[in-house]
Amino acid sequence: MALVVEKFGGTSVADAAHIKAVADHVVRRHNHGDQVVLVVSAMGSETDDLLRLASDLSDNPPARELDMLITGGERKACALMAMAISALGVTAESFTGSQAGFLTDDTHTNAKILEITPERITDAVAAGIVPVVGGSQGASPQRNVTFLGRGGSDTTAVALAHAIGADYCELYTDVPGVFSADPRIVDKARLMATVSFDELLEMTASGCPKPAMRAVELARSHNVELHVRSAFTWMPGTTVTREETMERAIISAVTHDTSEAKMTVSGVADKPGVAGQLFRALANADINVDMIVQNVSAQGVTDISFTVPIDQLATALDIATGMQTDLGATSVSGDDGIARVNLIGAGMRTNPGVAAQMFETLAAAGINIEMISTSAIRISCVIRADDTERAVNVLHDAFELDQPRDQRS
Amino acid sequence: MALVVEKFGGTSVADAAHIKAVADHVVRRHNHGDQVVLVVSAMGSETDDLLRLASDLSDNPPARELDMLITGGERKACALMAMAISALGVTAESFTGSQAGFLTDDTHTNAKILEITPERITDAVAAGIVPVVGGSQGASPQRNVTFLGRGGSDTTAVALAHAIGADYCELYTDVPGVFSADPRIVDKARLMATVSFDELLEMTASGCPKPAMRAVELARSHNVELHVRSAFTWMPGTTVTREETMERAIISAVTHDTSEAKMTVSGVADKPGVAGQLFRALANADINVDMIVQNVSAQGVTDISFTVPIDQLATALDIATGMQTDLGATSVSGDDGIARVNLIGAGMRTNPGVAAQMFETLAAAGINIEMISTSAIRISCVIRADDTERAVNVLHDAFELDQPRDQRS
């Protein structure tokens, strides 16, 4: 008998039939003796539909009101789910984030959890009731409704699992688990039975869409056992573990991301403070800068390249262009035709051969590398967006990611 | 400068265009110096849509979950309205019933207001903010979300107007005010500039759909000045007053109701306790019995006739039939082909000529009267449903309701 938090994403509660399928699963599990706590996202495209309504009414809706509006999606889904479970003879009760005890800060549309007082949830579980909690929501100290942001239901589930001392947390999505590459573009992509927190973090930070990175970070820091599963196949999926890094390089996956653009500020003086000045200005405008590369200095001047989300490129260009004289830069340019491919795995820093093999593989396929950055468990290359699919496939082949780790050459 | 609570019904917030029109009205009023507090219903058919979803998932959804689900409709509408007002440059903030301080009992789907602590609303008003409150909702002492029932937004508005000491309360609907008869079936129906609480109560109790009777009762007992207006024409509408009853009979309106069925329990012993036994059993099953008539006793037996909502007829027949032996009744019958026409006005009890004229008018039109009941300010006749439209028209003509009161013969 286990105490389990199960989170169901939007596609797994998209309509009455899907909600019933989830309810059926929950009731079986409950009758099997497990104690189940559910966290649900908004149904299908509900959040987008609500945002469309908001944009019909205002070019710049107040964040507080957006939160009141959007959290209604999860609230609706959790009430419906509680009805569906009750209809199968197991008592279920829905809870808003506030009712479930989620106290957050007041950063509307992207609130952070401050504290959870889950007494209503633990009381319900003790009474044999299945609590169904609205995901991605809470209440601020000012008693306003807050939204944790897109993908926040994963965070709700992990935080709740920690708060109630659940044995583990299952994140049910529309994919069967974590793959060695995007199965939509790599035929041989392999479903990974296990992945480490660090690897999964790097994967979600570099293009792997599920689960939400923030939830993985939270699970990692609170040591919450995480399972990524499909609400369509109900197969075991991927277990996220706290596995030790091996001495030998073990490549887990290749991910890709086409949501970013590249910016280059050229010919700036290679002296302290210049980069700080630039990135402070971008940070003040909430530009989400990623992957920064500063090229080798030649004659005391240097080029700084970095990536930003495509939809922030125009703003970032405006800011950098406005600072061009201050920075002493010769030019500022942007490029939204790029993609990033990332190789994820343990032990890469101490195995330089991995990076070399990655660059050789891309070169052999005639794919030019425009930027490189590495972490302890990731190597990222910026390439032309048109080359993405080919790059992911040749890398997946080169590192034999379709084979279980112990069967690679 | 007035402090006003304005309630907008579902059709007046049915889509973005309507919400914008309401926002425009509110902003004009705010800029004119009035302090406006809004109460909004769910958009258009939202409540029905949510109920349909619920019925897809459960034949008998738990009332607690229905409330969590349905109140989401008003919550969505109030967030969108706050955005629309803010987009026009006036700060607005949405509040759920719970946030607005509505404490209710725990009768889910039909909760009663216990207490209002409207500090967040009065604070917002003092800060120059337009509060937009979700109608028909609150929180129970157990901190569960509760729904006040269909039409509950009128109740929310009146109760809030009383709690914050508003100068008056305006109920905006899709009709221009209170009419002397249903304008859809009586061409000459007259928009009434004023109506008394008592008259309006009798009208809403006997087929006049707006405003909700419960809200009128509340306004009457707390002496809240009530205006019934249209969110489509923005004309002055009808003011509900505490007018004194005149000595002379003043007929206000003729209303009709085709939502009820007639039941007759025949041949029961004319002795104490029989009616009590019957109506206690019906009340225990939550059958909403209206208009009870017991015919004159003949040879110690009597017939009891009464009306019930059409959708409760089958249940009521089952119960009465099951008691037939106990009651000593010779038969139990139901008839769902009836309608009720009602003449509303002050001073009718002391003016017996009014009842006579009503019966004569119907008789002259060849319309048979099956049941009669009267109150101090109402005379109701049950007739065949097919005769409804004709009955309402001949009565409207006979009492010259198309004329202002002081110009009738």
Side-chain angles (χ1 to χ4, degrees):
Chain A
M1 184 173 124
L3 173 60
V4 189
V5 174
E6 299 192 344
K7 174 258 169 182
F8 288 90
T11 49
S12 40
V13 295
D15 53 32
H18 283 87
I19 292 175
K20 281 182 181 175
V22 171
D24 181 69
H25 155 85
V26 170
V27 166
R28 281 171 199 273
R29 188 143 201 184
H30 176 89
N31 291 341
H32 182 259
D34 288 333
Q35 294 175 312
V36 185
V37 175
L38 289 192
V39 173
V40 293
S41 300
M43 296 167 72
S45 64
E46 175 110 38
T47 304
D48 290 326
D49 295 343
L50 291 171
L51 286 172
R52 202 169 306 117
L53 263 174
S55 69
D56 285 348
L57 290 168
S58 173
D59 293 336
N60 187 23
R64 178 188 184 279
E65 303 311 321
L66 274 175
D67 283 9
M68 177 77 102
L69 182 70
I70 293 173
T71 53
E74 288 81 17
R75 180 174 144 147
K76 174 176 164 182
C78 72
L80 290 169
M81 182 63 78
M83 289 177 195
I85 294 170
S86 295
L88 297 176
V90 171
T91 307
E93 289 190 354
S94 60
F95 295 91
T96 64
S98 169
Q99 290 177 335
F102 281 77
L103 180 72
T104 74
D105 64 16
D106 60 357
T107 314
H108 284 290
T109 75
N110 195 24
K112 301 277 175 295
I113 299 168
L114 297 176
E115 193 188 343
I116 304 177
T117 47
E119 276 64 37
R120 293 190 72 177
I121 303 304
T122 49
D123 287 354
V125 169
I129 292 166
V130 175
V132 187
V133 179
S136 200
Q137 55 186 262
S140 68
Q142 297 80 20
R143 291 183 297 145
N144 290 318
V145 175
T146 53
F147 185 57
L148 305 186
R150 299 300 283 258
S153 291
D154 287 353
T155 307
T156 297
V158 170
L160 190 58
H162 173 62
I164 67 174
D167 294 300
Y168 50 92
C169 176
E170 295 185 332
L171 305 179
Y172 284 85
T173 73
D174 49 2
V175 296
V178 179
F179 281 88
S180 60
D182 187 337
R184 288 170 299 189
I185 72 169
V186 176
D187 290 342
K188 290 188 280 186
R190 190 175 56 85
L191 176 63
M192 299 161 74
T194 63
V195 66
S196 77
F197 276 116
D198 290 346
E199 288 169 321
L200 184 55
L201 264 185
E202 287 286 3
M203 290 171 71
T204 55
S206 65
C208 174
K210 287 170 185 177
M213 181 165 65
R214 199 169 142 196
V216 180
E217 287 173 340
L218 196 66
R220 179 172 177 263
S221 62
H222 289 300
N223 205 12
V224 173
E225 186 176 328
L226 213 55
H227 298 180
V228 181
R229 303 181 57 170
S230 161
F232 295 86
T233 68
W234 304 105
M235 300 286 282
T238 302
T239 299
V240 189
T241 62
R242 193 162 275 280
E243 112 185 348
E244 297 299 311
T245 301
M246 303 284 177
E247 285 295 314
R248 197 185 141 206
I250 299 174
I251 309 304
S252 304
V254 51
T255 64
H256 65 279
D257 188 354
T258 54
S259 70
E260 298 198 326
K262 186 178 72 166
M263 275 183 63
T264 303
V265 179
S266 303
V268 299
D270 186 10
K271 62 178 188 192
V274 170
Q277 197 182 342
L278 172 64
F279 292 115
R280 168 57 52 206
L282 293 171
N284 287 345
D286 281 329
I287 307 282
N288 220 334
V289 173
D290 199 5
M291 196 170 167
I292 300 170
V293 175
Q294 183 164 340
N295 288 359
V296 176
S297 170
Q299 282 97 37
V301 295
T302 187
D303 299 339
I304 302 175
S305 292
F306 51 93
T307 60
V308 296
I310 283 182
D311 58 5
Q312 295 188 317
L313 177 61
T315 312
L317 279 173
D318 280 353
I319 292 169
T321 307
M323 300 174 70
Q324 192 174 336
T325 312
D326 281 0
L327 297 171
T330 52
S331 74
V332 170
S333 63
D335 179 351
D336 60 6
I338 61 140
R340 197 163 118 180
V341 290
N342 317 275
L343 205 61
I344 315 285
M348 298 207 290
R349 178 162 291 175
T350 51
N351 287 272
V354 173
Q357 190 180 350
M358 181 180 187
F359 305 153
E360 285 161 6
T361 303
L362 292 175
I367 296 167
N368 188 42
I369 301 173
E370 305 187 8
M371 282 169 77
I372 297 169
S373 89
T374 61
S375 80
I377 58 170
R378 174 184 49 77
I379 306 171
S380 299
C381 295
V382 166
I383 58 173
R384 288 287 92 198
D386 295 343
D387 291 330
T388 311
E389 194 163 331
R390 214 151 46 84
V392 173
N393 272 287
V394 295
L395 291 171
H396 199 266
D397 278 347
F399 288 95
E400 298 176 277
L401 298 183
D402 56 326
Q403 300 295 319
R405 293 173 192 195
D406 53 3
Q407 288 171 33
R408 294 179 198 155
S409 57
Chain B
M1 185 173 124
L3 173 60
V4 189
V5 174
E6 298 191 346
K7 174 258 168 180
F8 288 90
T11 50
S12 39
V13 296
D15 53 33
H18 283 89
I19 292 175
K20 281 182 180 175
V22 172
D24 181 70
H25 155 85
V26 170
V27 166
R28 281 170 199 274
R29 186 142 202 185
H30 176 89
N31 291 341
H32 182 260
D34 287 332
Q35 295 176 311
V36 185
V37 175
L38 290 192
V39 172
V40 293
S41 300
M43 296 168 71
S45 62
E46 177 110 37
T47 305
D48 290 326
D49 294 344
L50 291 171
L51 287 172
R52 203 169 306 117
L53 263 173
S55 69
D56 285 349
L57 291 167
S58 174
D59 292 335
N60 186 23
R64 179 187 183 279
E65 304 310 322
L66 274 175
D67 283 8
M68 177 77 103
L69 182 71
I70 294 173
T71 53
E74 288 80 17
R75 180 174 144 146
K76 174 176 165 184
C78 72
L80 290 169
M81 181 64 76
M83 291 178 191
I85 295 170
S86 296
L88 297 176
V90 171
T91 307
E93 290 190 352
S94 60
F95 294 91
T96 63
S98 169
Q99 290 177 335
F102 281 77
L103 179 72
T104 74
D105 64 16
D106 61 359
T107 314
H108 285 290
T109 76
N110 196 25
K112 300 279 173 296
I113 300 169
L114 296 177
E115 192 187 343
I116 304 176
T117 48
E119 276 64 38
R120 293 191 72 177
I121 303 304
T122 49
D123 287 354
V125 168
I129 293 167
V130 175
V132 187
V133 179
S136 201
Q137 54 186 261
S140 68
Q142 297 81 21
R143 292 184 296 145
N144 290 318
V145 175
T146 52
F147 186 57
L148 306 187
R150 299 300 283 256
S153 291
D154 287 351
T155 307
T156 297
V158 170
L160 190 58
H162 173 61
I164 67 173
D167 293 301
Y168 50 93
C169 176
E170 295 185 333
L171 305 178
Y172 284 85
T173 72
D174 49 2
V175 294
V178 179
F179 281 89
S180 60
D182 187 336
R184 288 171 299 191
I185 73 168
V186 176
D187 290 341
K188 290 187 278 187
R190 190 174 57 86
L191 176 62
M192 298 161 74
T194 62
V195 65
S196 75
F197 277 115
D198 289 345
E199 288 169 321
L200 184 55
L201 265 185
E202 286 286 3
M203 290 171 72
T204 56
S206 65
C208 175
K210 285 168 186 179
M213 180 166 65
R214 199 169 142 196
V216 180
E217 286 173 339
L218 197 65
R220 178 171 177 264
S221 62
H222 290 300
N223 206 12
V224 174
E225 186 177 327
L226 213 55
H227 298 180
V228 182
R229 303 181 58 169
S230 162
F232 295 86
T233 68
W234 304 105
M235 300 285 283
T238 302
T239 300
V240 189
T241 62
R242 193 163 276 280
E243 115 187 344
E244 297 299 310
T245 301
M246 303 285 177
E247 285 294 313
R248 196 185 141 208
I250 300 175
I251 309 304
S252 304
V254 51
T255 64
H256 65 280
D257 187 354
T258 54
S259 70
E260 299 197 326
K262 186 178 72 165
M263 274 182 65
T264 302
V265 179
S266 303
V268 298
D270 186 11
K271 62 178 187 191
V274 170
Q277 196 182 344
L278 172 64
F279 292 114
R280 167 58 51 208
L282 294 171
N284 286 346
D286 281 329
I287 306 282
N288 221 333
V289 173
D290 199 4
M291 195 169 167
I292 301 171
V293 175
Q294 183 164 340
N295 287 358
V296 176
S297 171
Q299 280 100 36
V301 297
T302 187
D303 299 339
I304 304 175
S305 292
F306 50 94
T307 60
V308 296
I310 283 182
D311 58 4
Q312 296 188 317
L313 177 61
T315 313
L317 278 174
D318 279 353
I319 292 170
T321 306
M323 300 173 70
Q324 193 174 332
T325 312
D326 279 1
L327 295 172
T330 53
S331 73
V332 171
S333 62
D335 178 351
D336 60 6
I338 61 140
R340 198 163 118 178
V341 289
N342 316 276
L343 204 61
I344 315 285
M348 298 206 290
R349 180 162 290 178
T350 50
N351 286 272
V354 173
Q357 189 181 351
M358 180 179 187
F359 304 153
E360 286 161 5
T361 302
L362 292 174
I367 296 166
N368 188 42
I369 301 172
E370 306 188 6
M371 280 168 78
I372 297 169
S373 90
T374 61
S375 80
I377 58 171
R378 175 185 48 77
I379 306 172
S380 299
C381 295
V382 166
I383 59 172
R384 288 288 93 198
D386 296 343
D387 291 329
T388 311
E389 195 163 329
R390 213 152 46 83
V392 174
N393 272 287
V394 294
L395 290 171
H396 198 268
D397 278 348
F399 289 95
E400 298 176 277
L401 298 183
D402 56 328
Q403 301 294 321
R405 292 174 193 197
D406 53 2
Q407 289 170 33
R408 295 179 197 156
S409 56

